[in-house]
Every structure is written in structure tokens, then in C-alpha cells.
Amino acid sequence: MSTGSIKQAIETVREVSGFTLLIDVEVRSEVEADEAIDAGADIVMLDNLEGEELYAVARSLRQKWAGKRKFLIETSGGIEENNLKERAVNDIDILSTSAVHQSVQHIDFSLKIQLPKEGESGASSAV
């Protein structure tokens, strides 16, 4: 949902959703993460942050919001089997990747049903 502001988007979703819905907000910076947390996001996805920048932002958010708001931190973008351990740190709650389905060859499956022609065995006039 694009409303021009993270806060407005979260408020709009809260107005029309039930209490069981978790709101996951994708952010690109600590400033955007702060806005999302302040507005009540349940999960903040630090998208495409890596290495020291990711660790520093996650640590800063945990310290800054300790005792004020409950939220989960998710990391996404560029996660593959060879760098998974680098992202599995204490300040990160969720690791998400699209590599599992984006790198797979697609197979076109279809199910075509042909009814037997009149006069063939098993034919029925009522279908």
C-alpha cells in the first residue's frame, strides 16, 4: 500500500484489519525503521542492508526502543545458503529470502480432461 508515509500506511491498515493481523513494513534505512516502529509496526524488514550496516541498525533499534515498543526485526535481500550464518545474529528475529523460488526453473503443469466421445466405452450423456 502506498500512501506517501509509513505512519499513514500503518494507520490505514490498522483501521481496516483485525487485531490478529501482524503488520510487516519493508524499510531501507534506520530513519524509516524508526517511523514504522513509532507508528506501531509489528515487524520491520531491513531490506538489502548487509554486513556492519545491518548489525549496527538492528542493534541501534533494539537499544533505542527497549521497553517502549515490541517489534521483530527481519532481514531480507541477498540472503543465500553461503551467507545465511552472517545474517543469523541475536538482534535479527526473521531471515527471509526469495532465492528459494526465484532461482527455480518453472514447469508448466496443466490438467486437461477430455470426455469420451459418444459411442466410446464409458461415455455418458450426463456430465
Side-chain angles (χ1 to χ4, degrees):
M1 166 181 293
S2 178
T3 65
S5 115
I6 292 171
K7 180 180 179 183
Q8 182 61 49
I10 292 171
E11 288 173 354
T12 301
V13 170
R14 288 274 182 231
E15 286 175 11
V16 297
S17 66
F19 68 93
T20 60
L21 180 73
L22 294 178
I23 298 177
D24 188 337
V25 180
E26 182 177 322
V27 300
R28 298 168 296 197
S29 69
E30 186 171 352
V31 171
E32 288 182 356
D34 283 329
E35 182 180 354
I37 295 164
D38 189 46
D42 301 294
I43 304 166
V44 177
M45 178 199 294
L46 303 175
D47 193 34
N48 293 313
L49 297 183
E50 298 180 23
E52 288 304 317
E53 181 183 18
L54 172 66
Y55 308 145
V57 170
R59 190 175 321 112
S60 174
L61 292 172
R62 289 281 182 226
Q63 291 171 353
K64 189 184 318 180
W65 293 97
K68 299 174 187 170
R69 294 258 198 233
K70 291 175 96 176
F71 60 93
L72 298 174
I73 296 177
E74 176 180 4
T75 180
S76 177
I79 299 175
E80 297 175 349
E81 184 178 0
N82 63 341
N83 67 4
L84 193 56
K85 287 184 180 180
E86 296 170 19
R87 302 286 185 100
V89 296
N90 288 337
D91 290 320
I92 305 293
D93 302 299
I94 303 167
L95 304 173
S96 61
T97 181
S98 56
V100 174
H101 61 82
Q102 286 186 348
S103 61
V104 174
Q105 291 285 359
H106 298 280
I107 299 173
D108 183 16
F109 283 99
S110 64
L111 176 62
K112 296 178 181 170
I113 300 173
Q114 292 182 330
L115 295 175
K117 294 178 183 172
E118 286 294 325
E120 292 182 0
S121 65
S124 170
S125 59
V127 178

